[in-house]
Amino acid sequence: MKVLSYDLSNINVTLTAYLLDSSPEMPNMKQRPAVLILPGGGYRACSDREAEPIAMAFLAEGYQAFILRYSLNQDAAFPRPLNDAEEAMKLIRTHSAEWDIHPQKIAVCGFSAGGHLAAALSTMGSVRPDALILGYPCILEEMSAIFPVPVSGVDQKVDQLTPPTFIFHTFDDKLVPVRNSLAFADALTRQNVPFEMHIFPAGTHGLSLARPQTSMGLISMVEPSVAQWFGLCTNWMTRVFGEFAADLEHLPEEEVLEYSLDVKLGALWKNDSCKKLILAAMPEIGEEPHPDAMGVPLGVIIEYAGDVLNKEKKIQLNDSLRQIPVFHS
């Protein structure tokens, strides 16, 4: 995994990218969906509890993840935070090929004040995400009372270009009342924008994943019923973006241009000269290797095997394999 950090145009605004590596063992993951995460914090801070833990959860599901720490306090007057989010989206789409991202499968996920910004990006942005995820979002103009600067409500900004939306909130939320989410859902309905919404009966504001690791050690920040939101959300995203391809009974035959440790064992095994070299160096592999091993590069098998071959013998085997000519029918 690579972690990259970018300073954006506005002062003290950063975008952090968490990028999973591609692997020849996962050819169906060459293009991944991505999630831009906007933590909450009342436009006064960006909560760490709603930042990296959320990114790690999405990474575990195969998504590329980004965290935007946007303009705050007196710099939070609109349109500065919206400009930050637009710039982040443009950067992600510009680098989508380099970062193994499907450019039409980018979601934005915002919590509380970050939910206000995510909704603003999705309703007013010059560049919009392909899906919107809102956790206990500030939506109504009345929420300006808890912010350092006034902001407009976003429920009246919903249009037919607003992307499909997932919303979760708790009925018990005293800081950001549930009517914020209900107002946004009503606006989506009027514009015929599909959405999924979950209102959990119990739970305070700012639950994040609602699990111990994001609780600050407070029992009030752990709510097992609300913790279901993340699984519900990723199931919804699969319906919106589609599942990773898994429809092959057998991997296609790879075109071998040169024999080496990078070639799958099955392809090497079809050549008698390669087979003899491998058995001489690694008799443990046996005349009939396990079928699952045939789809794995020989170098990976050697690494898994531990001390079967030292570095020098690996180099010798690789050099010997490369000297064997490849014939194509």
Side-chain angles (χ1 to χ4, degrees):
M1 184 177 75
K2 296 184 287 291
V3 180
L4 308 174
S5 183
Y6 295 86
D7 293 323
L8 301 191
S9 298
N10 286 332
I11 189 169
N12 296 325
V13 174
T14 62
L15 180 68
T16 304
Y18 297 83
L19 303 172
L20 295 165
D21 296 320
S22 294
S23 168
E25 292 185 55
M26 295 183 286
N28 62 330
M29 308 287 274
K30 289 180 180 178
Q31 270 197 324
R32 300 173 183 269
V35 182
L36 172 62
I37 299 161
L38 309 181
Y43 282 117
R44 300 175 189 277
C46 283
S47 169
D48 288 338
R49 296 187 308 106
E50 295 164 346
E52 195 167 271
I54 305 298
M56 295 301 109
F58 278 114
L59 286 166
E61 296 296 323
Y63 292 77
Q64 307 290 35
F66 299 82
I67 297 170
L68 176 65
R69 289 182 166 83
Y70 46 85
S71 296
L72 301 170
N73 298 303
Q74 294 309 307
D75 291 330
F78 265 58
R80 287 177 70 95
L82 179 57
N83 295 155
D84 300 335
E86 291 171 326
E87 185 177 358
M89 279 294 300
K90 289 174 184 175
L91 187 64
I92 295 168
R93 284 221 168 98
T94 298
H95 290 275
S96 59
E98 176 188 350
W99 293 342
D100 299 327
I101 292 170
H102 193 299
Q104 279 78 53
K105 294 183 179 181
I106 302 172
V108 63
C109 175
F111 300 85
S112 193
H116 177 270
L117 180 53
L121 177 67
S122 300
T123 58
M124 297 184 285
S126 61
V127 52
R128 300 195 190 187
D130 305 294
L132 170 61
I133 302 163
L134 298 174
Y136 37 87
C138 298
I139 296 295
L140 301 170
E141 189 169 359
E142 68 189 52
M143 298 312 302
S144 286
I146 67 172
F147 297 154
V149 293
V151 299
S152 61
V154 288
D155 54 315
Q156 300 303 315
K157 305 296 185 181
V158 173
D159 60 16
Q160 293 181 347
L161 298 178
T162 303
T165 301
F166 178 94
I167 309 169
F168 79 96
H169 213 129
T170 62
F171 182 78
D172 276 352
D173 195 327
K174 301 297 190 295
L175 183 62
V176 178
V178 72
R179 61 178 174 270
N180 283 265
S181 287
L182 295 173
F184 199 77
D186 184 53
L188 292 170
T189 301
R190 290 197 303 271
Q191 294 295 332
N192 200 32
V193 176
F195 68 91
E196 178 172 326
M197 181 166 66
H198 297 272
I199 307 299
F200 299 96
T204 188
H205 185 73
L207 284 171
S208 182
L209 292 172
R211 301 175 65 188
Q213 57 264 45
T214 56
S215 70
M216 301 182 291
L218 296 174
I219 192 170
S220 62
M221 286 291 178
V222 180
E223 192 63 56
S225 64
V226 181
Q228 298 176 82
W229 80 261
F230 187 78
L232 292 166
C233 178
T234 53
N235 287 339
W236 170 81
M237 292 178 76
T238 296
R239 293 194 297 276
V240 173
F241 287 160
E243 183 58 275
F244 293 108
D247 53 3
L248 302 176
E249 292 192 12
H250 304 285
L251 290 174
E253 291 286 336
E254 65 178 318
E255 182 181 4
V256 178
L257 302 178
E258 180 184 57
Y259 293 122
S260 72
L261 298 184
D262 295 327
V263 175
K264 292 176 183 176
L265 181 62
L268 295 170
W269 219 246
K270 292 178 180 179
N271 184 291
D272 287 339
S273 297
C274 292
K275 180 178 177 180
K276 288 176 183 177
L277 276 174
I278 296 167
L279 283 171
M282 302 173 59
E284 301 88 352
I285 206 164
E287 287 281 348
E288 296 184 7
H290 193 281
D292 290 345
M294 292 300 193
V296 180
L298 178 59
V300 173
I301 294 172
I302 293 171
E303 291 299 321
Y304 285 160
D307 298 329
V308 172
L309 293 181
N310 59 31
K311 183 177 180 180
E312 182 179 345
K313 288 183 178 179
K314 281 168 55 179
I315 293 172
Q316 289 175 353
L317 177 57
N318 193 53
D319 289 343
S320 298
L321 288 169
R322 296 173 87 172
Q323 293 173 20
I324 297 173
V326 179
F327 298 103
H328 296 285
S329 56

